[in-house]
Amino acid sequence: MENNLLFWHRRDLRIEDNHGLFKALSTGKSVIPVFIFDTTILSKLKANDQRVIFIHQEISRLKSEYQLAGSDLLIYVGNPIELLPKICDEFTIEKVVTNRDYEPNAIQRDLLVYEFLKAKNIEFIGAKDHVIFEKKEVLKDDGKPYTIFTPYSKKWKARLTSDDFDAFPSESNLNNLCKTDTYQPLVTLEELGFDGVQTIDFPIKSVSESLVSKYSEQRDFPSVNGTSRLGVHLRFGTISIRALARQASSQNETYLNELIWRDFYQMIIYHFPHSAKDSFKSQYDRIPWDNNEAHFQAWCDGRTGYPLVDAGMRELNVTGHMHNRVRMVVASFLTKHLLIDWRWGATYFAEKLLDFELASNVGGWQWASGSGCDAAPYFRIFNPALQLDKFDKQMVYVKKWVPEFGTPAYPTPIVDHATTTKRTIAIYKETLNS
DNA sequence: TTTTGAGTTGTTCGA
DNA sequence: GTCGAACAACTCAAA
């Protein structure tokens, strides 16, 4: 029996411009595409997690696309480390191809997969697909990774050549897919242990030229649809980062910079995996957080008495999304007004955000709390009232999410701005100098 | 090795 | 109202 090749989809739920899939199809071998619902991840999620519904929908679409090409996407449920060797036996696989993942847990998983497959004499091949530049492609002149964004972005741009955004035409090579006419049914959300009720709208899979071109002027105003909301599609690979970068680079430098930030944080978590759980700068883990449970709950529920903060949290709770400017404001408020550990906030975001991406999330939270690489200085504390005046002056955003604002039903501020910010600066100062 | 300039997104105060 | 400086030093990156 002829040997086959397995292509393992993870956070790359598309056929077109998929580097790993292109690589697999280019070998000329018969390629079997597979996706595994990883129960070690799913078991930690709540039954109504909207991201599982999103993935399930996209898997369903991807499966039909493979079926149109005369093949099928095989679906498994379980622990990939245990399943992959079995799948390889079942289909006489000689090589497994996948796109690389840079999160510490994923790297550990892939290392184990590599060992298990190696023991069976099966190759395990990775491809770069999730970012423009990965690992050691953008380093300082001394060969070490950057920890400051601006010089990183300069080197990133200097290193860029005309073909770095080029698509990998995986979709034009589908005749090498393993052919089948017996379609395996897709496991249902209920079978996976999820309730399957979609409560939020999923963002569309594209961004208009006009949004990108106006991005730098409009992105800071939460009442304006000035951001692309493509985070979830980048997270699960339902769009190609190369296609997006191509569009951005020709239209808006600020937008391109945001994509470079994404590469930057992916690179940081790859080189400094401790920063997934601990502060990048360890001395910030000595800060004596207040961690007041009642304050935290008020923050989660959007009833701090600071309208911009509350609007943001309520937008998050209802839609699974929060405008980026407001993310900074609520993160600054939690860490620097309430003096609550950035991990509490990061964990809450991880649970709620449809577009949650570990590297960007811990990067952002550590930036706001001052504990990250290239973070805001500790004395830089957003004033929620001033931010409201600057970015939602007409209170369109606030009134949308906090309709009772201005009535007696709206809570009074749970803490005083001047008092708490002075306290935080004093505590940070003392901790960092001791 | 030493030196120099710079560092996502702010706020407050006083002239 | 506008503007510059202070906030607090420190570390990083590159020459």
Side-chain angles (χ1 to χ4, degrees), chain A residues 358-427:
Chain A
L358 179 73
S360 304
N361 193 53
V362 295
W365 273 97
Q366 293 187 37
W367 179 83
S369 70
S371 66
C373 60
D374 205 11
Y378 68 79
F379 54 83
R380 179 176 295 166
I381 300 176
F382 283 70
N383 179 331
L386 207 54
Q387 288 285 309
L388 176 64
D389 189 55
K390 282 181 180 172
F391 300 111
D392 190 34
K393 201 172 182 62
Q394 306 305 316
M395 304 194 75
V396 173
Y397 177 76
V398 161
K399 283 175 185 163
K400 177 174 183 182
W401 296 109
V402 190
E404 84 278 23
F405 177 74
T407 74
Y410 186 67
T412 53
I414 55 170
V415 293
D416 174 65
H417 169 72
T419 318
T420 49
T421 54
K422 281 195 185 78
R423 173 189 68 159
T424 294
I425 288 179
I427 288 176

Side-chain angles (χ1 to χ4, degrees), chain A residues 257-268:
Chain A
N257 269 333
E258 295 307 311
L259 300 183
I260 302 176
W261 269 100
R262 181 174 167 277
D263 267 20
F264 178 70
Y265 279 140
Q266 291 284 325
M267 179 277 299
I268 289 289

Side-chain angles (χ1 to χ4, degrees), chain A residues 273-379:
Chain A
H274 77 277
S275 67
K277 290 201 161 62
D278 304 327
S279 294
F280 184 91
K281 296 175 179 166
S282 59
Q283 64 271 35
Y284 283 75
D285 281 336
R286 299 205 312 265
I287 289 170
W289 302 107
D290 194 35
N291 287 347
N292 178 309
E293 303 260 1
H295 282 170
F296 180 65
Q297 202 53 52
W299 178 84
C300 291
D301 297 344
R303 42 179 181 82
T304 65
Y306 285 87
L308 189 57
V309 174
D310 293 341
M313 296 309 294
R314 294 188 198 186
E315 182 189 21
L316 175 65
N317 292 336
V318 173
T319 68
H321 182 267
M322 194 192 309
H323 187 276
N324 181 56
R325 161 70 42 186
V326 191
R327 291 187 198 194
M328 291 189 283
V329 174
V330 304
S332 172
F333 187 82
L334 185 78
T335 54
K336 291 183 171 170
H337 283 76
L338 302 182
L339 205 65
I340 289 175
D341 194 330
W342 63 265
R343 291 168 193 78
W344 290 33
T347 303
Y348 192 74
F349 271 28
E351 189 187 308
K352 294 281 179 182
L353 278 174
L354 185 69
D355 67 12
F356 171 71
E357 171 89 65
L358 179 73
S360 304
N361 193 53
V362 295
W365 273 97
Q366 293 187 37
W367 179 83
S369 70
S371 66
C373 60
D374 205 11
Y378 68 79
F379 54 83

Side-chain angles (χ1 to χ4, degrees), chain A residues 1-4 32 89-93:
Chain A
M1 193 172 170
E2 198 187 336
N3 285 340
N4 295 311
I32 300 173
D89 284 344
E90 189 181 346
F91 296 102
T92 24
I93 298 296

